[in-house]
Amino acid sequence: MTVIEADVVVVGAGSVGSMASWQLAARGLRVVGVDRFPVPGPFSAYAGESRVFRMVYAEGGHYTPLLQRARDLWRDLEAATGTGLLAVTGVVTVMDHDHPDHAALLRAGRERGLRFEVVTGEEARRRLPQHLIRDGDVALFDPEGGYLRSEHAVFCAVQLAQRHGATFLGNRQVSALERRGDRWSVRTDQEEVRAPRVLVATGTGAGPVCAALGTHLAVLPQVLTWFPIADAGLLVSQPEQVFIRSSRDAQFYGFPSTDGWTVKVAASIYLDEATSTASPLTWDPRHLDTVQSWVGTYLPALVPKPVRAVLCSDGYTVDETGLLGFVPGMDGVVVAVGFSGHGFKMASSLGAVAADLISEGTTATDVSFMDPARFLPAPHAVSALPLEAPVSRPEAS
């Protein structure tokens, strides 16, 4: 078996792994990235063209430093590749006035001194003609939010990492992570890669890793949908923004049109947990009934019949917070998994934090709330980290 020597092995070259590879290679380290799919991959968690970027974050102000660093790194990646990746359109969240998300957004914005605006009633209707605004609704505008071109961003990070000397091995099945003297051995079905440091960023394939760290990773498929524009006048009368509807009777989000005739809308509804990834993930057309109903009710500018649908999956830990840090008992091994829907907007900073830990042994960005040992009983130690997960080939419809 061929043996490849490196400074760092990155297992999983998706959202976070690609960004970490870019950062590590730019710091002069010999990086080898290994992934079970092609790199970049068509069956990824970042599939479906775009992801929301928010600064006023209902999930908590403790994410703000990661979001601020991510924003700067997205601009760095754009500058280095000559590509537009982060579109700052503003994000508007429409909520019931007494919805818990409203209080959470206000708290996060005020705690961190972020810019935002809240409007109601006729003013909200004037500024959001493409939305149904009810008397009890409030609209919170986050002017620094927008969206990321997710697939293109991963492609750019991989290209830039390669420019700095990184190597990527796609379509590989990792069978073992073992200690060999002062180095780690990552064995695939085709070669062995040896390095003193390893980053595990296996995305939706991280179930075995999370189990070894004392928690469960729920892999939840989601259907993303694109709807035709019925009334372009409603859309062009005001600047288009990313939008989120967070009501008791509807949970969805969407994006400005990128092709001039459709709008991407995703319902915050997941299919049943994928208990196995050994066979293709599938879905039934009836899974579209709810999002069609919501589009027909709340988005009058759209035809409530989708013309495109793509399947992606999120990996949720039990507390919906990722695992990022050193693996206790496994010197030189860092994990970055389970980001539970937070991931892509912060993928650049999560990758940079992982690169900090690997190259410097510490990071100035506070990620203590993501401690990968928090689910482990004392004393915190892991003797082995299983990486093998069956290959999934999700189907797009």
Side-chain angles (χ1 to χ4, degrees), residues 200-289:
V200 178
T202 45
T204 54
V209 171
C210 290
L213 292 168
T215 189
H216 175 66
L217 186 77
V219 177
L220 302 177
Q222 183 183 28
V223 183
L224 309 176
T225 45
W226 282 255
F227 291 84
I229 297 169
D231 188 344
L234 288 180
L235 294 182
V236 300
S237 62
Q238 295 286 344
E240 286 190 82
Q241 303 164 84
V242 172
F243 56 87
I244 300 169
R245 166 70 69 165
S246 189
S247 303
R248 289 184 178 82
D249 55 355
Q251 293 278 339
F252 61 86
Y253 58 96
F255 300 79
S257 178
T258 58
D259 59 14
W261 77 282
T262 66
V263 169
K264 178 184 172 183
V265 181
S268 297
I269 296 174
Y270 292 92
L271 312 187
D272 292 340
E273 180 178 349
T275 57
S276 171
T277 56
S279 59
L281 299 174
T282 59
W283 54 280
D284 188 287
R286 288 174 295 182
H287 289 134
L288 300 180
D289 291 348

Side-chain angles (χ1 to χ4, degrees), residues 132-328:
L132 172 67
I133 305 296
R134 302 171 300 187
D135 289 341
D137 288 338
V138 297
L140 187 145
F141 291 86
D142 171 4
E144 296 183 79
Y147 67 92
L148 287 152
R149 296 176 175 88
S150 53
E151 290 163 314
H152 199 175
V154 170
F155 176 78
C156 286
V158 168
Q159 275 200 319
L160 193 53
Q162 289 173 322
R163 193 185 305 169
H164 287 291
T167 299
F168 291 95
L169 307 174
N171 295 309
R172 299 303 203 270
Q173 195 73 13
V174 175
S175 58
L177 170 63
E178 298 173 337
R179 191 72 178 178
R180 290 185 181 272
D182 62 348
R183 307 177 78 75
W184 290 99
S185 167
V186 175
R187 283 193 288 113
T188 80
D189 54 346
Q190 298 186 43
E191 62 271 299
E192 177 184 1
V193 187
R194 295 177 183 171
R197 289 158 287 185
V198 177
L199 170 63
V200 178
T202 45
T204 54
V209 171
C210 290
L213 292 168
T215 189
H216 175 66
L217 186 77
V219 177
L220 302 177
Q222 183 183 28
V223 183
L224 309 176
T225 45
W226 282 255
F227 291 84
I229 297 169
D231 188 344
L234 288 180
L235 294 182
V236 300
S237 62
Q238 295 286 344
E240 286 190 82
Q241 303 164 84
V242 172
F243 56 87
I244 300 169
R245 166 70 69 165
S246 189
S247 303
R248 289 184 178 82
D249 55 355
Q251 293 278 339
F252 61 86
Y253 58 96
F255 300 79
S257 178
T258 58
D259 59 14
W261 77 282
T262 66
V263 169
K264 178 184 172 183
V265 181
S268 297
I269 296 174
Y270 292 92
L271 312 187
D272 292 340
E273 180 178 349
T275 57
S276 171
T277 56
S279 59
L281 299 174
T282 59
W283 54 280
D284 188 287
R286 288 174 295 182
H287 289 134
L288 300 180
D289 291 348
T290 299
V291 67
Q292 289 182 152
S293 172
W294 288 346
V295 167
T297 300
Y298 293 102
L299 300 175
L302 303 183
V303 177
K305 293 185 181 298
V307 293
R308 179 186 172 200
V310 170
L311 190 69
C312 71
S313 295
D314 282 337
Y316 284 82
T317 60
V318 295
D319 62 359
E320 299 191 358
T321 301
L323 308 175
L324 176 56
F326 290 105
V327 177

